[in-house]
Amino acid sequence: MNKTQLNKNFDTGGFQIEASVLKQFLWYFTDVFFFKSRIMPISSVLVFLLRLFGARIGKQVRIKPGIHVKYPWKLIIGDFSWLADCYIENLDLVTIGENCCISQQAMLITGNHNYSKISFDLLIGPINIEEGAWVGACAKVCPGVNIHNHAVLTMGSVATKALDAYGIYQGNPATKVKEREIL
């Protein structure tokens, strides 16, 4: 039986940060000072800073203090969406559509490791959250997952595969429990 052999030189599968060292350095300090410290409670300033570092953000988007964004230049947010103090580990592109809600302590994770390889190689996949979807508090979205329009991932649930449009999903792994009705 083979054992995992962790080291710094694992296969990253072609992963690229896609930013200069200077940009990464400046983002690190901007993130620590304005986002992680929660010193800046004004959403429009947080949106401005994310845009300054390459995020594509629509109109009237609300960003709450405490949000974690690994790489703003790999983030797209549609009009009228709300993001609470969530965790976006976007080694790959994260797209959040219009009128979406990403609740407190939700996690969007685009990277994982291949546990079947001795070298524990990096695996990445984009996350796409379509219009009107809601990711509940403390919910988790795994790499490569599509959350189709108006789907709901309930509090504390884990999305490991695509969520159907207007479906309400619960559990770990999340399973469809009913249809969403919007009155």
Side-chain angles (χ1 to χ4, degrees):
M1 177 85 50
N2 286 336
K3 295 181 180 180
T4 302
Q5 180 59 54
L6 301 179
N7 63 59
K8 288 180 12 178
N9 298 321
F10 60 89
D11 183 0
T12 61
F15 164 71
Q16 298 289 322
I17 293 176
E18 300 173 12
S20 69
V21 172
L22 177 61
K23 186 174 187 176
Q24 293 174 60
F25 179 80
L26 292 172
W27 171 245
Y28 174 80
F29 286 102
T30 301
D31 183 36
V32 167
F33 186 74
F34 290 103
F35 291 84
K36 288 186 173 103
S37 72
R38 299 174 184 259
I39 198 167
M40 178 48 63
I42 302 168
S43 178
S44 58
V45 173
L46 299 175
V47 167
F48 170 79
L49 290 169
L50 287 168
R51 284 181 179 143
L52 187 66
F53 282 91
R56 291 177 279 170
I57 301 176
K59 62 184 177 189
Q60 295 189 35
V61 168
R62 300 291 174 247
I63 304 285
K64 295 291 186 175
I67 190 173
H68 166 81
V69 178
K70 179 76 170 180
Y71 300 128
W73 47 92
K74 294 185 178 193
L75 180 63
I76 300 171
I77 304 172
D79 299 341
F80 309 108
S81 288
W82 299 349
L83 281 73
D85 59 334
C86 58
Y87 189 91
I88 302 173
E89 187 75 12
N90 55 336
L91 303 178
D92 205 336
L93 184 65
V94 169
T95 304
I96 299 168
E98 295 182 0
N99 299 295
C100 291
C101 181
I102 312 299
S103 295
Q104 298 84 349
Q105 304 303 308
M107 296 179 78
L108 310 180
I109 307 291
T110 62
N112 203 348
H113 292 275
N114 187 344
Y115 58 81
S116 66
K117 293 274 192 168
I118 195 169
S119 54
F120 215 50
D121 298 339
L122 180 65
L123 301 171
I124 61 172
I127 291 174
N128 184 39
I129 301 172
E130 295 179 1
E131 179 182 358
W134 178 20
V135 177
C138 299
K140 294 169 180 59
V141 181
C142 294
V145 169
N146 289 318
I147 299 179
H148 293 286
N149 70 80
H150 297 87
V152 175
L153 181 62
T154 63
M155 186 166 95
S157 297
V158 179
T160 59
K161 60 183 179 183
L163 307 187
D164 295 335
Y166 290 91
I168 298 176
Y169 288 78
Q170 184 175 16
N172 180 8
T175 57
K176 190 173 182 180
V177 294
K178 61 182 172 180
E179 289 288 322
R180 181 179 185 186
E181 294 181 32
I182 299 175
L183 306 175

